[in-house]
Amino acid sequence: MDLRKFMGAFKNTPQILEGIKNRVFKQEHIEAEAALRWSVCKECSFLDTKGSKCMVPGTQPCCASCGCSLSLKTRSLSSECPEGKWPAILTEEEEDLLNQQIQQDGKGTNIE
């Protein structure tokens, strides 16, 4: 096991949980961003479809650079590609605020 990836997983626990939440409770705006990110990842040389570089076995496809499951990482708006191919869109705090406003508004039309 790559110690750098293992330590990175602990550091990125909030983003991992965010990805899990967004995968389970799907929202249109997050799925749209995940699709854009996936379109970049599927062309990347770091794409691991076999799972040999995944931090958690059985979570492929994953990123061979960081070991993250792409089904979760691409749905975490506060995560960025470790190779700089796509940025984080929001900080964790901004994403929490956006999700709260969307839930309150029902459609997200009153986001300030």
Side-chain angles (χ1 to χ4, degrees):
M1 178 183 296
D2 184 335
L3 185 59
R4 178 184 63 89
K5 290 179 187 176
F6 184 73
M7 295 307 291
F10 283 111
K11 183 182 97 179
N12 294 322
T13 299
Q15 287 90 354
I16 294 167
L17 294 174
E18 174 190 345
I20 292 169
K21 175 194 70 149
N22 290 338
R23 183 156 190 251
V24 173
F25 303 104
K26 294 184 178 185
Q27 297 178 57
E28 188 175 328
H29 70 286
I30 293 172
E31 291 303 301
E33 183 62 29
L36 289 172
R37 290 175 171 190
W38 173 244
S39 70
V40 173
C41 294
K42 69 182 180 182
E43 303 298 324
C44 181
S45 63
F46 288 98
L47 177 64
D48 177 9
T49 57
K50 294 180 182 176
S52 61
K53 302 286 184 182
C54 296
M55 181 65 201
V56 177
T59 60
Q60 69 269 18
C62 66
C63 175
S65 178
C66 65
C68 290
S69 167
L70 291 172
S71 69
L72 303 180
K73 188 166 190 105
T74 58
R75 287 177 172 84
S76 172
L77 300 183
S78 59
S79 291
E80 63 188 4
C81 169
E83 298 300 317
K85 296 184 179 191
W86 42 264
I89 295 177
L90 304 170
T91 65
E92 292 173 58
E93 295 80 19
E94 289 170 332
E95 185 173 12
D96 288 343
L97 179 59
L98 175 64
N99 286 327
Q100 288 172 3
Q101 289 176 337
I102 289 171
Q103 289 173 356
Q104 289 172 356
D105 186 47
K107 294 182 183 177
T109 56
N110 290 332
I111 296 175
E112 298 175 6

